[in-house]
Amino acid sequence: MDNKQKEMLEGLKLAIKGERDGHSFYKMAARTTEDSKGQEVFDTLASEELDHMRFLKEQYDSILKTGKPNTSINFGSKLDLSGMSPIFSDDLKSRLTDAHMEMSALSIGIQLELDAMKFYKEQSEKAEVEEVSKFYDELAEWEKGHYQALLNQQESLRDDYWDSAGFAPF
C-alpha cells in the first residue's frame, strides 16, 4: 500500500468517526425532544449519518482491497429540509420558555455540521484521486444542507427564545 492510499484510509477513518458521532447525537436529540416533528427530523438526520457512514466504510473497504474507491455506491436518500421551520413544528413556539434542550440541540448540530463541511472540503482539496475528491465534495454539500436547515431553525426561534428565557438585555 502506498502513501496516497494510506492517507485516503486515514481520512476515511476520521470521516467515519464523525458520522458515527453525528448519528449518536441526532439519536439522542430525537429521544430528548418533546416535539414530534423534531423527533422525526432528528431520527431521519441520524439515519442519513448512518448512510454516510456506510458509504464511507464501503469506500474504506474498497481502497483497502483494490487501492481505489468504488464509484458504483451511493449515499442513500436525502431529507427535504426546506421551509420556514425545517426541524421543529410550529407548536414548539408555544413552549419556547422551556425549549432549552431543543435550542441546545440546534447549536450543537450546527457546530457538528460546520465541522463536517470543513473536514470534507479539506479532504476534497487534499485528495489526489478525482473520485475521492468528488465524493468528499458531495458529502460537504449534503452536510451544508443540514447546517443551513439547523441554522435557519435556530435563527427563526432565537429572539423569541432569548426574550422568553430572559437572556435579552432589553
Side-chain angles (χ1 to χ4, degrees):
M1 181 176 306
D2 65 22
N3 282 339
K4 180 169 59 172
Q5 290 165 328
K6 286 179 184 176
E7 283 182 29
M8 284 190 292
L9 292 174
E10 284 305 310
L12 287 166
K13 281 183 199 177
L14 291 171
I16 290 165
K17 181 192 178 308
E19 296 295 338
R20 180 178 292 128
D21 291 347
H23 171 261
S24 296
F25 169 72
Y26 288 126
K27 288 304 278 184
M28 185 245 357
R31 286 190 309 269
T32 309
T33 185
E34 295 176 20
D35 185 79
S36 60
K37 181 179 177 188
Q39 290 169 353
E40 181 181 329
V41 171
F42 284 138
D43 272 334
T44 303
L45 287 170
S47 292
E48 285 188 5
E49 301 297 303
L50 274 184
D51 285 343
H52 298 169
M53 193 169 72
R54 177 195 49 79
F55 171 85
L56 292 163
K57 282 182 174 182
E58 288 179 22
Q59 293 297 5
Y60 183 92
D61 290 343
S62 178
I63 292 168
L64 196 60
K65 291 175 186 167
T66 69
K68 296 185 267 184
N70 182 341
T71 58
S72 68
I73 55 177
N74 63 43
F75 293 109
S77 61
K78 196 180 225 182
L79 177 64
D80 177 14
L81 292 171
S82 60
M84 292 296 293
S85 186
I87 310 297
F88 298 115
S89 70
D90 291 334
D91 294 339
L92 183 68
K93 284 191 176 190
S94 68
R95 62 174 196 82
L96 208 47
T97 302
D98 298 319
H100 308 301
M101 193 296 299
E102 287 85 354
M103 294 304 289
S104 293
L106 291 172
S107 294
I108 294 166
I110 287 167
Q111 191 60 53
L112 285 172
E113 299 299 342
L114 183 61
D115 290 347
M117 277 183 345
K118 287 179 181 178
F119 176 77
Y120 290 140
K121 278 295 184 193
E122 289 169 5
Q123 292 301 305
S124 173
E125 290 167 8
K126 277 182 16 179
E128 296 178 24
V129 176
E130 185 178 347
E131 291 87 1
V132 173
S133 180
K134 283 181 182 179
F135 73 67
Y136 277 129
D137 281 340
E138 191 171 343
L139 281 166
E141 280 301 308
W142 199 317
E143 303 297 0
K144 182 180 178 181
H146 292 173
Y147 167 81
Q148 197 59 57
L150 292 162
L151 185 63
N152 289 346
Q153 183 70 80
Q154 182 188 56
E155 288 175 349
S156 76
L157 297 172
R158 182 179 38 228
D159 289 341
D160 289 338
Y161 175 67
W162 285 359
D163 287 345
S164 69
F167 295 149
F170 37 83

